[in-house]
Amino acid sequence: MGFKVNLILLTGLLLPACVPAVHAADAAAGIASYAVCTACHGRNGEGNVAMNAPMLAGQAAWYLKSQLEAFKSGQRGTAQSDTYGMQMRPMATTLANAAAQDNLIAHIVSLSSRPAIPTISGDIKAGKLQYVTCAACHGLRAEGIEQLGGPRLAGQDDWYLIRQIRNYQTGARGFDPKDTFGAQMGAMAATLTNDKAVNDVVAYINSLK
């Protein structure tokens, strides 16, 4: 009995030593890394249409991480037709390690988002019908669903949403065999068969708060 108790106590002492330390993201430390991002994405992550840079503020940490890793691995930003993705890829590779990436993401998540200003018009009622398919992954209110790989769409700049739909349709995004969610999104984007359908669904997303 004494041997069993001692073994349990010894195991309890050894286990913490075997578990790798978990890095706690430091939003303050991420400010320095974000300095490179401000030129395109804005000081507060508000985005910049003139620089073709989307809003980052308000996006979930899991999605920011997945996209940085996609750029670093070449799943994004390597298609010749993805001009802006090719510009973003070198920026993602400036992050020296996982800790730097986590700190950067923590800083972005700490930024306050603002409502995007609509730049397109469309038939919101028709767009709502189109959005039924999108809701399965992106949520009924376009809030995003991590388990299904669907990012938040509500509040994002509509010009950026339209460009990404087009990228999926043309294969500029979602082309890599390892990009499972991208392949799924490519199939969904293909259901929007003309400019009106694209504008309608994005106009509906604009209406979601």
Side-chain angles (χ1 to χ4, degrees):
M1 179 70 176
F3 172 75
K4 289 182 178 180
V5 171
N6 288 337
L7 182 60
I8 292 171
L9 290 174
L10 180 61
T11 302
L13 291 172
L14 288 176
L15 277 176
C18 299
V19 176
V22 177
H23 167 71
D26 184 343
I31 295 174
S33 295
Y34 188 74
V36 178
C37 313
T38 58
C40 293
H41 293 283
R43 182 177 179 182
N44 297 305
E46 68 273 22
N48 186 341
V49 64
M51 298 299 292
N52 296 285
M55 183 190 306
L56 300 179
Q59 192 54 268
W62 68 265
Y63 185 70
L64 295 172
K65 180 177 181 179
S66 73
Q67 295 313 293
L68 281 172
E69 292 179 348
F71 278 116
K72 288 192 289 185
S73 70
Q75 289 185 29
R76 284 192 72 179
T78 53
Q80 291 299 311
S81 56
D82 186 10
T83 305
Y84 305 120
M86 293 177 73
Q87 294 173 356
M88 176 60 200
R89 190 171 182 233
M91 299 300 100
T93 60
T94 64
L95 296 168
N97 50 46
Q101 177 173 281
D102 290 347
N103 292 342
L104 171 63
I105 291 170
H107 173 64
I108 295 172
V109 170
S110 74
L111 300 173
S112 297
S113 61
R114 53 138 179 91
I117 299 173
T119 66
I120 61 101
S121 59
D123 184 335
I124 293 177
K125 289 184 178 180
K128 184 176 182 179
L129 295 177
Q130 293 275 13
Y131 185 78
V132 170
T133 304
C134 314
C137 291
H138 293 282
L140 292 175
R141 304 293 298 174
E143 71 276 17
I145 302 176
E146 179 178 0
Q147 294 82 356
L148 297 174
R152 172 187 171 184
L153 303 178
Q156 182 56 272
D157 291 303
D158 53 17
W159 58 264
Y160 180 73
L161 295 177
I162 289 175
R163 192 172 78 213
Q164 294 313 301
I165 290 172
R166 293 300 186 206
N167 283 347
Y168 280 117
Q169 290 177 333
T170 62
R173 187 171 175 186
F175 64 91
D176 192 292
K178 297 186 291 297
D179 187 4
T180 306
F181 295 126
Q184 294 173 354
M185 183 59 203
M188 295 301 100
T191 66
L192 302 172
T193 56
N194 52 49
D195 290 344
K196 181 182 184 305
V198 172
N199 285 351
D200 289 348
V201 75
V202 173
Y204 175 68
I205 293 170
N206 276 343
S207 75
L208 301 173
K209 306 298 181 182

